[in-house]
């Protein structure tokens, strides 16, 4: 799937009016069976590990297991797409990456409407992103990497978890700011991405902090991070802002269900996940990956989505990105 720099307009849609509450559903004691959580990323990556940790703690609070099902590929939108065919009963949910808010505006035939087709339940966290190269690579820092990429247009490549992800979009923003021409290579997940980098098939990887252990082991070199400030685990590594680029990318995310969910069920799920986010066992996972806790309930999360869709659609039009 290639991206060309053409403009695609997609009219902003209002959020669908929620269905009226169904008190009988809540009175039956939701949940009375396991809940299925779609995670649209490959097993073993940062999102997979974090979501399994938070789902385990949420399941304890709900009295039913929250079972993770990986649906990797397509830049992280397969979970959202699957929700279109599910009942709004609260038993099938999905992690919602920011690519869900972008891909419709990059597509000739949008696969869904991010404002009207989902019930936003609970916001969870965001990522530490960064660019890594092999430890034996000749670039001591990100400026050196960018300088050589500029001197060799079209010959440098980088891997990400997919087209339309925050990693892809931010690397293209960097290319625009520094007048670079490099090649994007999408992968299905962090394992494939790291394997290609270590094997020398790509020059660099832009990904979330699943690269951390390989950096700490000395097998990879972290050139830059994308947060508002330096990462706690890697205080010697500068941010994009420190290198003169006005870019911060953390790609915050939460969970959602199909449109039309019972508000009473939404409240039950949100309470369980907000408690799970703050649980020490889950916080230890966030600390491991330098991820902030960013809990929000359904009203605040829905308002956040409205703002995010507006910002992302404007950025896509400005950059002229199209699938």
């Amino acid at each position: 799937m290639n991206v060309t720099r053409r403009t695609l307009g997609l009219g902003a849609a209002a959020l669908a009016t929620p269905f009226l509450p169904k008190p009988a559903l809540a009175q039956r004691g939701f949940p009375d069976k396991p809940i299925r959580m779609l995670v649209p990323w490959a097993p073993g990556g940062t999102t997979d590990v974090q979501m399994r940790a938070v789902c385990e703690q949420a399941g304890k609070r709900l009295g039913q297991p929250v079972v993770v099902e990986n649906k990797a590929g397509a830049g992280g939108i397969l979970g959202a797409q699957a929700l279109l065919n599910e009942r709004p009963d609260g038993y099938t949910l999905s992690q919602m990456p920011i690519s869900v808010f972008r891909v419709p505006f990059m597509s000739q035939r949008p696969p869904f409407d991010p404002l009207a087709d989902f019930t936003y339940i609970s916001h969870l966290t965001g990522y530490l992103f960064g660019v890594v190269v092999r430890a034996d690579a000749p670039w001591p820092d990100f400026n050196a990497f960018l300088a050589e990429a500029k001197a060799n247009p079209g010959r440098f490549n980088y891997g990400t978890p997919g087209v339309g992800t925050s990693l892809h979009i931010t690397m293209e923003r960097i290319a625009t700011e520094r007048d670079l021409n490099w090649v994007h290579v999408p992968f299905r997940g962090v394992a494939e991405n790291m394997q290609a980098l270590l094997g020398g098939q790509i020059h660099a990887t832009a990904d979330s902090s699943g690269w951390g252990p390989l950096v700490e082991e000395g097998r990879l070199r972290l050139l830059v991070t994308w947060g508002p400030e330096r990462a706690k685990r890697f205080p010697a590594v500068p941010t994009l802002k420190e290198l003169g680029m006005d870019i911060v990318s953390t790609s915050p995310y939460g969970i959602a269900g199909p449109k039309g969910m019972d508000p009473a069920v939404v409240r039950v799920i949100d309470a369980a996940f907000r408690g799970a986010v703050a649980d020490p066992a889950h916080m230890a996972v966030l600390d491991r990956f330098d991820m902030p806790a960013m809990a929000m309930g359904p009203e605040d999360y829905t308002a956040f989505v409205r703002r995010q869709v507006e910002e992302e659609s404007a950025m896509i039009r400005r950059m002229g990105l199209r699938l």
Side-chain angles (χ1 to χ4, degrees):
M1 194 158 46
N2 295 321
V3 174
T4 58
R5 290 175 181 254
R6 293 174 55 192
T7 301
L8 171 69
L10 184 69
L15 279 165
T17 302
F19 284 19
L20 292 175
K22 304 176 183 65
L25 179 61
Q27 289 170 4
R28 285 201 298 269
F30 175 88
D32 59 7
K33 62 180 181 180
I35 293 172
R36 180 173 165 235
M37 178 65 72
L38 307 177
V39 173
W41 308 104
T46 302
T47 314
D48 177 65
V49 174
Q50 180 275 323
M51 286 299 298
R52 288 179 186 275
V54 79
C55 285
E56 179 180 359
Q57 299 305 320
K60 293 177 181 179
R61 288 160 172 79
L62 291 165
Q64 291 287 343
V66 182
V67 182
V68 168
E69 178 182 323
N70 297 95
K71 295 182 73 70
I77 68 167
L78 295 183
Q81 281 187 296
L83 291 182
L84 301 177
N85 300 314
E86 296 291 338
R87 295 181 55 177
D89 56 10
Y91 288 102
T92 301
L93 310 172
S94 180
Q95 187 254 358
M96 300 292 273
I98 282 184
S99 51
V100 169
F101 311 146
R102 291 184 181 137
V103 167
F105 299 94
M106 300 168 66
S107 308
Q108 287 184 319
R109 297 179 180 177
F112 45 74
D113 183 332
L115 290 176
D117 286 339
F118 309 109
T119 301
Y120 293 94
I121 299 171
S122 198
H123 195 276
L124 305 177
T125 184
Y127 296 101
L128 171 67
F129 289 140
V131 178
V132 292
V133 296
R134 284 182 13 170
D136 60 357
W139 315 290
D141 52 45
F142 198 50
N143 280 334
F145 179 79
L146 295 179
E148 190 158 347
K150 188 175 180 64
N152 295 274
R155 295 181 59 187
F156 267 49
N157 55 32
Y158 67 91
T160 78
V163 175
T165 59
S166 291
L167 285 311
H168 172 214
I169 297 297
T170 302
M171 287 296 280
E172 291 307 309
R173 289 181 65 190
I174 293 169
T176 298
E177 285 213 9
R178 294 298 175 94
D179 192 26
L180 304 175
N181 177 15
W182 52 23
V183 179
H184 175 224
V185 184
F187 293 94
R188 289 175 59 86
V190 67
E192 290 184 9
N193 213 342
M194 293 297 108
Q195 184 177 7
L197 179 61
L198 292 169
Q201 283 81 50
I202 55 177
H203 294 97
T205 287
D207 212 327
S208 57
S209 52
W211 34 251
L214 293 173
V215 173
E216 291 172 326
E217 291 168 15
R219 298 177 65 190
L220 295 179
R221 179 183 301 140
L222 178 60
L223 300 182
V224 66
T225 57
W226 298 354
E229 55 191 27
R230 295 192 180 196
K232 289 185 294 184
R233 276 195 300 162
F234 306 103
V237 179
T239 65
L240 286 172
K241 289 181 73 70
E242 288 179 276
L243 298 181
M245 286 171 271
D246 190 20
I247 297 173
V248 173
S249 179
T250 59
S251 195
Y253 63 84
I255 60 171
K259 67 179 179 181
M261 285 181 61
D262 178 355
V265 169
V266 169
R267 287 193 294 272
V268 170
I269 298 171
D270 171 54
F273 273 88
R274 278 207 272 178
V277 167
D279 189 278
H282 176 251
M283 290 298 297
V285 174
L286 294 186
D287 288 343
R288 172 182 164 193
F289 293 115
D290 291 283
M291 301 171 73
M294 302 171 66
M296 279 187 264
E299 293 81 11
D300 289 340
Y301 186 20
T302 300
F304 168 82
V305 169
R306 286 196 190 99
R307 295 191 301 271
Q308 198 71 46
V309 167
E310 182 178 347
E311 292 171 6
E312 296 297 326
S313 61
M315 180 187 66
I316 294 301
R317 289 192 293 269
R318 184 172 62 253
M319 295 179 67
L321 295 178
R322 185 172 176 179
L323 297 179

